[in-house]
Each structure stands twice: as structure tokens, then as C-alpha cells.
Amino acid sequence: MDKFIIKGGRRLEGEVTISGAKNAVVAIIPAVILSDEPCILENVPDISDVSISLCILYEMGARVVYLNRTTVEIDPRGIKGPVVPYELARHMRASYYFLGTLLGKFGRARVAMPGGCYLGDRPIDQHIKAFTALGADCAIDHGMIDITAERLIGAQIYFDKITVGATINAMMAAVKATGLTVIENAAKEPHIVDLANFLNSMGADIMGAGTDVIKIRGVKRLKGASYAIIPDQIEAGTYMVAAAATKGNVLVKNVIPKHLESITAKLAKIGVNVEEFDDSVRISVDGPLVKTSVKTMPHPGFPTDMQPQISTLLCLAEGTSIVTDEIFNNRFRYVDELRRMGANISVDGKVAVIEGVGGLMGAPVTATDLRAGAALIIAGLAASGVTEIDEIHHIERGYENIEQKLQALGACIEKKSIPGSTIPKNAAV
Ligand code: EPZ
């Protein structure tokens, strides 16, 4: 079992370069299936969700070749069938993106019901609504989602709820449908735009990505393309918060400042200095951190994927802060772990009330999901003493080389492989 061991209390200083966006690449890799020729993807992050996605393509018959550390060539022509290997798919929520791409390519898709982070209720009714609108029949069959369509016909799709995943799946299923598809109440995240730009580079006809109405005119075939994944806005935000929590001075490089606007604005309200450049931001703190309120919203609002991280920072701010997660109904499971470190937080449903404390103390804690794990790293960096974080596989799903990047910023963090403890963590003692 791997753990991160962090000796806290050191200011982060220096430069960190942001990798390709996890939530863009986990959609773009499956989208390659829609192409009739090889594609080359650049700025691909070395994270386990990418490894699983590429393994799925390889197991299905694609040729996958890394041209260098961050560039991969994928030839999907060897993929002959619409079934995704169950064991690989069940561990990664983003595997449901294979539904839209396989349906768009073959008129059929069989994929395991999605796994991934437990953040509360995560239904896929809007995905099914989109596929059904395009003319597909959907069924659940022994843990698999089975979707078939004689023909995919362009349709009007109105999402009852703004959903990133269903917007992505609808786009991929519609790019080769006959006629016009209009998606209304669409998600506007940067990774939606990145996928649309990739699909258009293959010859798709998508307009309006990044707005709440996306129009897609079906095309007969998609050609190969070379495409560079956008930088990860959440990885960038995580390092921005880590720099602030340690009162450090860090230049976060390879970012798109516009994607960070809501994070930058919130950090400024807390008393953090954020200096913007063309493709980087500098974080510094020269005064007290102060309380604020945070409400997560679909883009361009404050991202839910930054909620655990900003909540951790607010533990160190003066006063009482309120954090509301409007997207997921159970995304505060990390609070129990922060309490082990001295945090004073009360949670009621989707609202957390955070009383600023002078500082946090190192402790043994457990990462409950990807962003919760990132928040615990931030807490450990800011805390006095040693923090041990286990279940770090969650963190490695979405953060490339996080310990090396933090070490380069002066953090005292190392990964240890430790035999499983004999006493279960929550054992009553
Ligand atoms: C994507 O998840 C991201 N995952 C999540 O990032 C991110 O938190 C989320 O979008 C919101 O931005 C990937 O891109 C792989 P949603 P997704 O569909 O698509 C409800 C991370 O940390 N909903 O936008 O599953 C749903 O329950 C991960 O990187 C329905 O009701 O999120 C939620 O309350 C965590 N019916 C809300 O919509 C549906 O059919 C938003 O979900 C679909 C969703």
C-alpha cells in the first residue's frame, strides 16, 4: 500500500508546470474511436485514468504507441466491436465516455456501469436521455449498459440538469448522426470546448461549445488529427491553493488564465495575491487569510473539483467561512480526515461551516477520493508535524508526478510503499 509522508510547515517557492487536463483527455482518448485514421495526442498527462483509457483502447484492438513522454499515437482501425472490457471500465467513471463514441462509430455500445469517485448520487439518466433522443435503445444487462441504434438521427436534446458527462457523450454520439443535433442547457467547461475542438479537427461540424447551446451537423466520416490537450485548470488551481496555504511564492506555468478566473477571484477575496501573465500565474501571500463564502457552480462558476482544496485553505483563514457544493450531494467526506488534523468544520448536507483555526497538525489520514486526497496533501503541507496519507491511488488518478512537482517547490514529501497496517484505521480502540 503506497502512502505519502509529508513533513509540513515549509513555504512552497519556485515554479511548477501544469500538465494536460485529466477531464479533457479522458474524453478525447475515447473520441479517437470515431476517427477512420490514426490520431496523435500531445500534452497527455501521465496519470492512471489515462493509462486505463489507453489500455481499454489497446484491449479492444487499437494500436497505441507513445512517441515521447507526453505524446501518444492511436490507430483505432483495429477496433472491430463495441464492447469495453468490464474489469478495466468498472474502475474508472470516465469509462462511460466509451458509450457515446462507440455508439457514434458502430451504432452499438456495451460498457460497465460507471465506477470512480463516490461523491454522492451520480445517475446517468441524462446520458440515456441524449442517446434515446438520437434514436438509440438503452438497457442495463448484468452490470453493463447496452445501447443499440439502427440509425442515429439528429435531435433536439434539452438537459434537465447541466452535466459535463452527458454533454460530452451527446456530442460524441451526434457527430456522425444524420442531420442536425441541438444540445440545450449544455455544460460549458473548458474540457467540453477542448473535445469539440478535437472533433472539429477531425472534420466534425460542431458549433457553440462553451455556450449552453451546442449545434452538431452530422458528417459521414472523421479523419485523423494531431491535437494538444489543454492545461489542467484543476491541477493549476490545486497548486495555487497549496502555494497560498503555505504562504509561499510560486509561479504556476502552462495555464490558460481565463480558465482560472473563478479560482483567482476567490483566492483574491481570501487575501491571496494572484499575478496573471500570458500563460502563467504567480501566487503569493503577504497578509492574513480571511474568511469568505464559496458556492460551487457549473463553469464559469467556482468548480466543484476545487471545493475540497479551497475548504482546506479556509481552515487557515480568520473567521467563519461557508462552503456550499451545489453540484454533488456528498462531497465533504474528507472533512472527517481534516478534523484529525485539527480543523473545525461542521457539515450539513451540501453546506460546510468552517471556523478558521490558527494552524493544522500533522496526522495519519486517508484519501477518500481524488480531490479530497489533493486537499489532504495541501493540509499536510501547511500543517506542523508529519502527515501520512494512505489510499493515494485516488490522487494518482488525476495528478501527474505530484510528489516530484511538490519536492521541486521545496516540499518535504515522499511516497512510501508500506505493508498494510494490521489494525484497520477506523478500528474501535
Ligand atoms: C465530470 O463528472 C468530472 N469527471 C468531475 O470531475 C466533475 O466534478 C464533474 O464533471 C462536474 O464538473 C470527468 O470529467 C471524468 P456531471 P460527471 O455529469 O460528468 C448530476 C474530478 O475530480 N447528473 O457534470 O460525472 C450528477 O449527479 C471529477 O476530476 C445527473 O443527475 O459530472 C451531479 O450532481 C470528479 N444525471 C451533476 O449532475 C446525469 O445523467 C453534475 O454531474 C448526469 C449527471
Side-chain angles (χ1 to χ4, degrees):
M1 174 172 61
D2 289 343
K3 295 186 175 188
F4 282 140
I5 314 292
I6 301 170
K7 190 181 292 180
R10 300 160 73 116
R11 297 174 71 242
L12 297 186
E13 293 184 322
E15 299 183 352
V16 62
T17 299
I18 298 307
S19 305
K22 168 183 94 76
N23 289 345
V25 74
V26 294
I28 288 173
I29 288 175
V32 169
I33 292 174
L34 289 160
S35 167
D36 294 322
E37 296 168 355
C39 291
I40 292 178
L41 302 180
E42 297 167 10
N43 201 31
V44 175
D46 178 13
I47 55 177
S48 57
D49 272 12
V50 165
S51 307
I52 295 174
S53 302
L54 293 175
C55 272
I56 287 173
L57 287 185
Y58 176 77
E59 291 292 325
M60 293 179 74
R63 189 170 62 86
V64 178
V65 177
Y66 264 94
L67 304 182
N68 62 45
R69 195 179 65 81
T70 58
T71 305
V72 61
E73 181 176 21
I74 304 169
D75 184 347
R77 290 174 292 190
I79 296 177
K80 301 301 181 201
V83 181
V84 173
Y86 187 90
E87 266 317 302
L88 282 171
R90 67 196 295 265
H91 295 296
M92 183 181 71
R93 181 167 182 82
S95 53
Y96 63 25
Y97 289 145
F98 285 89
L99 287 168
T101 183
L102 289 168
L103 184 64
K105 176 80 174 214
F106 296 111
R108 175 102 197 268
R110 262 178 78 81
V111 182
M113 287 293 283
C117 289
Y118 182 78
L119 307 175
D121 191 20
R122 297 184 81 178
I124 58 167
D125 57 306
Q126 300 299 300
H127 300 246
I128 303 301
K129 176 176 187 175
F131 297 143
T132 306
L134 292 166
D137 296 315
C138 306
I140 307 294
D141 171 27
H142 295 89
M144 302 284 278
I145 305 170
D146 195 321
I147 303 177
T148 53
E150 284 300 312
R151 275 184 73 204
L152 290 168
I153 311 285
Q156 193 86 17
I157 300 168
Y158 185 88
F159 285 130
D160 306 322
K161 188 160 194 176
I162 295 175
T163 150
V164 167
T167 301
I168 285 176
N169 255 333
M171 274 205 296
M172 292 199 285
V175 285
K176 296 183 76 175
T178 304
L180 176 67
T181 295
V182 179
I183 302 171
E184 295 197 69
N185 204 24
K188 300 182 271 193
E189 273 67 6
H191 29 293
I192 303 276
V193 178
D194 210 26
L195 173 66
N197 289 340
F198 172 60
L199 291 169
N200 283 340
S201 73
M202 293 201 286
D205 183 355
I206 303 172
M207 294 162 288
T211 74
D212 55 4
V213 179
I214 300 177
K215 294 183 178 176
I216 303 158
R217 290 193 187 289
V219 295
K220 291 217 178 307
R221 69 185 301 276
L222 294 174
K223 63 187 189 310
S226 284
Y227 191 78
I229 308 293
I230 53 169
D232 193 315
Q233 74 174 145
I234 305 301
E235 184 194 15
T238 301
Y239 284 100
M240 291 165 75
V241 171
T246 61
K247 297 197 184 304
N249 188 316
V250 174
L251 184 66
V252 182
K253 297 166 58 177
N254 187 36
V255 301
I256 299 173
K258 178 136 186 68
H259 291 169
L260 305 175
E261 280 178 344
S262 62
I263 300 167
T264 297
K266 198 54 72 175
L267 287 174
K269 274 192 72 180
I270 297 172
V272 178
N273 304 320
V274 185
E275 198 178 353
E276 275 188 14
F277 303 97
D278 289 346
D279 60 355
S280 59
V281 292
R282 178 173 293 282
I283 300 297
S284 62
V285 177
D286 48 27
L289 300 178
V290 296
K291 67 178 173 64
T292 188
S293 64
V294 179
K295 184 176 285 190
T296 69
M297 298 297 283
H299 191 78
F302 190 85
T304 177
D305 293 346
M306 283 296 301
Q307 180 262 93
Q309 300 92 311
I310 205 80
S311 297
T312 300
L313 183 65
L314 290 170
C315 291
L316 304 168
E318 294 171 356
T320 304
S321 300
I322 308 288
V323 176
T324 306
D325 199 315
E326 293 289 359
I327 307 296
F328 291 112
N329 56 22
N330 187 21
R331 196 166 199 173
F332 288 110
R333 295 195 313 151
Y334 63 91
V335 166
D336 284 337
E337 303 304 308
L338 285 180
R339 288 186 183 124
R340 297 176 197 277
M341 302 176 72
N344 181 351
I345 307 176
S346 57
V347 174
D348 180 7
K350 63 182 186 178
V351 179
V353 178
I354 302 172
E355 299 295 344
V357 292
L360 295 171
M361 301 162 284
V365 292
T366 297
T368 52
D369 64 69
L370 166 58
R371 307 303 176 184
L376 293 174
I377 287 179
I378 292 168
L381 293 170
S384 59
V386 176
T387 298
E388 271 190 27
I389 304 174
D390 61 18
E391 303 295 330
I392 62 171
H393 59 89
H394 288 296
I395 302 169
E396 293 173 326
R397 284 185 47 222
Y399 289 93
E400 178 183 78
N401 299 336
I402 190 165
E403 70 268 29
Q404 290 90 338
K405 290 188 179 185
L406 287 172
Q407 286 164 353
L409 291 172
C412 184
I413 177 173
E414 54 178 338
K415 179 156 67 169
K416 284 256 193 238
S417 291
I418 296 171
S421 59
T422 50
I423 302 174
K425 181 158 295 300
N426 300 325
V429 289

